[in-house]
Amino acid sequence: MGKYQSITPPILKELIIIVGEKYVLFNQPEKIAAYSHDEVADPAYAHMPEVVIKPASAEEISQIMRLANKYHVPVTPRGAGSGLSGGAVPVCGGIVLSVERMNRILEVDKDNLVVVVEPGVVTNEINNAIKDDGLFFAGYPMSVESCYVGGNIAENAGGGKAIKYGVTGRYVLGLEVVLPTGEIVQLGGKLYKDVVGYDLLHLMVGSEGTLGIFTKIYLKLLPLPTAKADLLVLFPDAETAMKNVPLIMRNGRIIPTAIEFMDQLSVQTTCKYLNEELPYEKAGAMLLIEVDGSSEQQVEQEYETIGKLCEANGAIEVYVALNHTTQERVWTVRRNIAEAFKVYSPIQSLEDIVIPFAQIPEILPRLKDLSQRYPVVIPCYGHAGDGNLHVTLVKKPELPIEQWSEVEHTVLVELYRITKELGGTISGEHGIGSKRREFMPIVMSPELIQLQKQIKSVFDPNQILNPEKIFPEGNSGGSK
Amino acid sequence: MKIIVPIKQVPETSKVKMDPVSGTMIRTGVESIINPLDLYAIETAIRLKEKHGGTITVISMGPPQTMKAIREAIAMGCDGGVLLSDKAFGGADTWATAYTLTLGVRKLGGADLILCGERATDGDTGQVGPGLASMLDLPLVTYVGKLELAGSGKFLAERLVEGGREIVSVAAPVLMTVVKEIGVPRLPTLRGILRAKETEIPVWGPADLEADSTLIGLNGSPTRVVRIHHPQVTRTGEKIVIKEQSNVEKAAQSIIDFMKQRNIL
């Protein structure tokens, strides 16, 4: 990538002066390797940085950004590396800036229901810190026990509870941001309403580490639900299952915390993998529905309403999980789908398409058709309540590995075209990063891509911060 | 066939914290569940009923909130239940518990088969099932991993014992304790839960059972917990660190050697 300067001894020396020698990794390939990839399984998406730097403050990050601009060295910000689109991968080399040392919960403002944290706090730790105050942060990516909240905001993480609680962005009230050129700015704060100027705060949310590095995060909190129940509902087919989703909300008048969909292939492979003895053979699809609330009576009334509705609308059986053990059992099925398919074939592409949720039954035969025409197996599962499906392309074991990337590309293009045709788009919560950038033109017009490149250039005229992400290669990098 | 399943409500142990000073469980705010090992007894009873017909009654001694556990058992597929509850029953050890349950079973008119879990996950004694068999003067078959009703009308129970399996042929009435191998407990269904809500569950106290007041509760308990202490962990391990990718095979070999030295492999 000849357009950037390599890390020279003088640059390294300046970096060491900024953060201290202890917090600069250089010439230690085995340690640096951990910063070369995220959770995307295919090693083809990894790229080694030249140096990893671990600053402790906004001031240090500001100095690093000014230095990077001066020498024209790319900087890729990184949280926990649990992303699924290559967003934290330094595809142009240069510096990986890890926020792992910035992991303090700065303030719990119980009276305003706001928490102020640094970007390197593990998301779940926020909730551990405030649960005794009866509060919680409703952002809930599935990797909640390992991911950092900074990454959640950079990706605008969604997850299993988005139908009721929305995605991460809904809870971001303020950010302190180091801009790509090194200025430190404050957007928003503890305000629940704020319409002064453009909503730059929410431009930052979901910007995938390309517009700024968050150094302080103001999150809105909610009262912690005290009761919950899960229903595992077996249906004869996907269409019957999905028909129930709008009914629950429209006729049941309930917004569940989660409605997770699992197709027959996902259910059968996972139940076999787990030796689960539920009568899954007779199910053509399953819904996993969670309700939560502030009293057991309310939750009981809601799960009964939903369960009866499903029974009246084609459900084969409604199982109810009311305690931790049984709730874990039903969620284990959902959480182990990816794992179960890795046993079948470890080479796969985990996708993140999103379509209007009533269209889910329409996409299923299309996926089946794809798996019949190409040597891939395509389980489909995900967040039925919001139409975000983790369709996964799993290489059939008999397909030679050297043919995989071509097959993967061909199937992805077809999958994304089908998604667009059904009114959807290519990523609901994982982001574009480096993994999906070449596919952006399938769902976004050249005008919109150009407009966003121009925005990027206003923030980052030298293309220093997390370059080669989101937007497809070529056709000019904005104003440059 | 008439089956009785005695169950216990216990704290959900995956969330339990221990008080470092007293060494006892901190029970406040902890959810109560059916003793996980009793679920296997319930499952066994339901499978027998599905195959051969009959009725299943669950019985439990405990505070009023134990009603929830009984309803859950009914939701899984049991027909009815009875709760033995009174302040006078409180603080019972395994002997007094077995005595109280004996009176309950007698008041229910006895059973062809009494199915118990292997032990409770809180007290961990495994004594109440056998104690109940003894007081009811019933044959006792423990650690049952497989159970069938043979053509002769006798039960064929496969016991998991040290060093193998033992198959016992036994006629009703009998008490058995079952182990996990017997089958994965089913989840309650919505229909089951709604049925359980409608089911009337009697609560019996000492007077209903005509209990001898010197044999129930703390007063009737010949054993007391006088001290709880934590055993020292004597297990040691060896940490094998892989510094480079090329060392993986070497590390794997050292794990193999480690296990061979200890006759694990």
Side-chain angles (χ1 to χ4, degrees):
Chain A
M1 308 264 170
K3 58 196 226 202
Y4 291 102
Q5 168 148 356
S6 300
I7 303 286
T8 58
I11 298 175
L12 188 66
K13 207 172 149 191
E14 287 192 52
L15 288 173
I16 288 171
I17 291 169
I18 297 169
V19 297
E21 193 162 8
K22 201 176 154 190
Y23 303 113
V24 179
L25 298 178
F26 185 73
N27 263 342
Q28 301 167 77
E30 68 281 6
K31 279 190 184 163
I32 289 180
Y35 298 84
S36 68
H37 61 86
D38 61 3
E39 285 294 313
V40 174
D42 191 341
Y45 291 103
H47 195 286
M48 284 287 273
E50 291 164 82
V51 57
V52 175
I53 184 161
K54 304 173 183 178
S57 68
E59 289 68 31
E60 289 180 6
I61 293 174
S62 165
Q63 288 178 52
I64 294 163
M65 291 317 299
R66 288 183 202 279
L67 186 80
N69 275 279
K70 185 170 136 197
Y71 291 109
H72 205 60
V73 176
V75 176
T76 304
R78 181 182 179 90
S82 55
L84 287 161
S85 57
V89 176
V91 291
C92 298
I95 299 168
V96 158
L97 189 153
S98 168
V99 297
E100 65 197 67
R101 288 173 65 215
M102 299 176 70
N103 59 359
R104 290 175 303 164
I105 294 173
L106 300 171
E107 185 192 352
V108 180
D109 183 344
K110 285 184 267 187
D111 295 328
N112 283 308
L113 279 79
V114 172
V115 67
V116 187
V117 298
E118 290 187 319
V121 174
V122 173
T123 308
N124 215 27
E125 278 173 14
I126 300 175
N127 283 327
N128 286 338
I130 58 180
K131 66 175 178 216
D132 289 342
D133 296 316
L135 298 170
F136 87 117
F137 162 52
Y140 187 79
M142 300 304 250
S143 56
V144 67
E145 283 171 11
S146 58
C147 61
Y148 292 173
V149 65
N152 295 170
I153 291 155
E155 299 294 330
N156 198 5
K161 296 184 176 178
I163 176 174
K164 179 166 179 179
Y165 291 113
V167 297
T168 303
R170 193 196 276 189
Y171 301 95
V172 181
L173 296 179
L175 289 172
E176 179 189 80
V177 184
V178 179
L179 297 177
T181 40
E183 297 86 350
I184 302 172
V185 297
Q186 165 96 21
L187 304 170
K190 292 183 181 178
L191 304 175
Y192 279 40
K193 289 179 171 177
D194 180 352
V195 293
V196 180
Y198 289 141
D199 191 354
L200 296 179
L201 175 67
H202 286 96
L203 178 62
M204 285 293 164
V205 175
S207 62
E208 304 195 23
T210 65
L211 296 182
I213 299 171
F214 316 142
T215 47
K216 209 184 272 180
I217 298 160
Y218 296 74
L219 295 170
K220 176 179 167 176
L221 304 176
L222 295 181
L224 179 67
T226 51
K228 71 170 176 178
D230 289 284
L231 301 177
L232 186 67
V233 191
L234 278 56
F235 289 97
D237 52 67
E239 204 160 299
T240 312
M242 287 309 303
K243 196 179 74 187
N244 278 274
V245 175
L247 287 182
I248 291 166
M249 297 186 266
R250 212 173 55 219
N251 297 9
R253 305 198 177 193
I254 296 161
I255 302 280
T257 319
I259 308 180
E260 295 288 301
F261 170 81
M262 295 172 267
D263 74 351
Q264 190 171 34
L265 184 61
S266 308
V267 165
Q268 298 207 342
T269 308
T270 312
C271 286
K272 274 182 206 147
Y273 166 74
L274 293 169
N275 290 322
E276 174 54 71
E277 291 195 10
L278 282 165
Y280 59 84
E281 291 93 349
K282 57 183 181 182
M286 285 191 195
L287 291 181
L288 174 53
I289 304 165
E290 183 166 298
V291 288
D292 66 8
S294 53
S295 77
E296 279 190 26
Q297 291 78 357
Q298 178 209 335
V299 165
E300 184 181 310
Q301 197 193 347
E302 290 192 355
Y303 80 68
E304 279 184 14
T305 303
I306 294 171
K308 285 176 185 166
L309 238 161
C310 291
E311 279 182 344
N313 289 283
I316 301 169
E317 190 62 275
V318 179
Y319 291 102
V320 186
L322 297 176
N323 60 55
H324 180 74
T325 314
T326 50
Q327 285 165 352
E328 271 304 296
R329 181 171 166 192
V330 295
W331 275 96
T332 296
V333 177
R334 164 65 183 87
R335 279 198 291 254
N336 275 277
I337 297 173
E339 227 25 67
F341 279 95
K342 274 184 190 157
V343 172
Y344 169 76
S345 168
I347 309 293
Q348 32 181 277
S349 181
L350 172 59
E351 291 308 310
D352 179 42
I353 60 164
V354 55
I355 55 177
F357 65 78
Q359 266 60 59
I360 290 177
E362 283 176 60
I363 203 169
L364 296 172
R366 310 284 296 268
L367 297 176
K368 198 169 176 187
D369 170 59
L370 278 179
S371 66
Q372 278 161 356
R373 286 191 287 119
Y374 298 100
V376 288
V377 175
I378 311 182
C380 176
Y381 61 97
H383 316 305
D386 54 37
N388 186 196
L389 294 176
H390 297 309
V391 171
T392 306
L393 311 185
V394 183
K395 181 183 92 66
K396 279 194 177 157
E398 59 268 26
L399 178 74
I401 183 83
E402 52 276 8
Q403 290 171 29
W404 169 244
S405 81
E406 199 191 320
V407 170
E408 181 191 17
H409 188 273
T410 311
V411 180
L412 280 181
V413 170
E414 285 209 35
L415 170 69
Y416 292 158
R417 288 203 175 123
I418 292 166
T419 304
K420 190 194 177 189
E421 200 185 302
L422 294 173
T425 194
I426 60 177
S427 182
E429 58 188 15
H430 294 172
I432 302 302
S434 53
K435 190 173 182 253
R436 299 190 179 88
R437 55 193 292 238
E438 62 170 309
F439 303 105
M440 274 285 264
I442 297 177
V443 289
M444 199 163 268
S445 69
E447 295 78 13
L448 278 179
I449 291 175
Q450 190 55 29
L451 183 63
Q452 291 177 86
K453 281 183 167 182
Q454 284 166 351
I455 293 171
K456 164 72 174 164
S457 288
V458 170
F459 279 82
D460 188 11
N462 299 318
Q463 306 293 321
I464 293 299
L465 190 64
N466 211 359
E468 308 284 326
K469 298 287 167 70
I470 307 180
F471 310 112
E473 243 170 308
N475 199 12
S476 102
S479 65
K480 269 176 75 79
Chain B
M1 186 174 18
K2 198 173 161 193
I3 306 172
I4 292 178
V5 184
I7 63 170
K8 182 178 186 184
Q9 194 179 43
V10 297
E12 155 67 287
T13 42
S14 69
K15 286 184 186 164
V16 162
K17 289 186 189 132
M18 299 301 281
D19 185 328
V21 182
S22 68
T24 54
M25 271 186 268
I26 302 168
R27 286 175 190 251
T28 46
V30 178
E31 165 180 48
S32 292
I33 56 168
I34 298 179
N35 169 34
L37 297 174
D38 292 346
L39 293 173
Y40 296 93
I42 295 168
E43 178 65 27
T44 310
I46 297 169
R47 287 185 189 188
L48 280 173
K49 184 192 157 179
E50 280 173 348
K51 219 166 157 187
H52 305 288
T55 59
I56 308 165
T57 308
V58 285
I59 183 168
S60 188
M61 185 187 84
Q65 57 266 33
T66 311
M67 202 57 108
K68 195 176 148 196
I70 294 173
R71 289 205 196 279
E72 192 184 328
I74 295 171
M76 285 172 73
C78 298
D79 299 286
V82 56
L83 173 62
L84 312 182
S85 188
D86 192 281
K87 279 209 165 66
F89 294 142
D93 69 356
T94 57
W95 199 94
T97 303
Y99 169 73
T100 311
L101 287 172
T102 299
L103 300 180
V105 171
R106 284 207 185 118
K107 193 172 161 73
L108 283 170
D112 301 305
L113 177 63
I114 299 178
L115 283 168
C116 300
E118 183 194 335
R119 60 193 155 78
T121 54
D122 56 352
D124 223 23
T125 66
Q127 292 168 354
V128 173
L132 186 58
S134 162
M135 291 182 192
L136 286 166
D137 204 17
L138 288 178
L140 168 69
V141 187
T142 50
Y143 305 110
V144 174
K146 207 172 161 187
L147 181 60
E148 277 168 28
L149 187 59
S152 59
K154 284 188 174 180
F155 293 106
L156 274 184
E158 187 175 297
R159 301 182 65 218
L160 300 190
V161 290
E162 250 180 87
R165 285 153 205 272
E166 191 178 278
I167 296 172
V168 179
S169 170
V170 58
V174 56
L175 187 146
M176 299 191 197
T177 72
V178 300
V179 291
K180 280 183 180 180
E181 284 70 14
I182 203 128
V184 180
R186 65 197 61 199
L187 291 167
T189 62
L190 181 69
R191 265 172 289 151
I193 286 175
L194 296 176
R195 193 169 53 80
K197 256 173 105 171
E198 303 296 315
T199 308
E200 206 171 308
I201 299 164
V203 183
W204 293 339
D208 302 299
L209 298 176
E210 294 172 31
D212 179 340
S213 64
T214 62
L215 299 177
I216 58 170
L218 190 64
N219 288 337
S221 296
T223 61
R224 296 283 157 97
V225 178
V226 286
R227 193 168 65 93
I228 294 170
H229 71 99
H230 292 275
Q232 207 89 49
V233 178
T234 52
R235 287 186 297 264
T236 53
E238 195 177 309
K239 198 169 171 185
I240 295 160
V241 182
I242 305 169
K243 286 215 176 96
E244 281 167 43
Q245 200 63 31
S246 58
N247 283 343
V248 170
E249 291 220 353
K250 218 174 116 190
Q253 189 56 48
S254 54
I255 294 171
I256 293 167
D257 293 343
F258 182 89
M259 290 169 86
K260 274 189 179 156
Q261 277 161 22
R262 285 155 183 81
N263 294 322
I264 301 166
L265 273 183

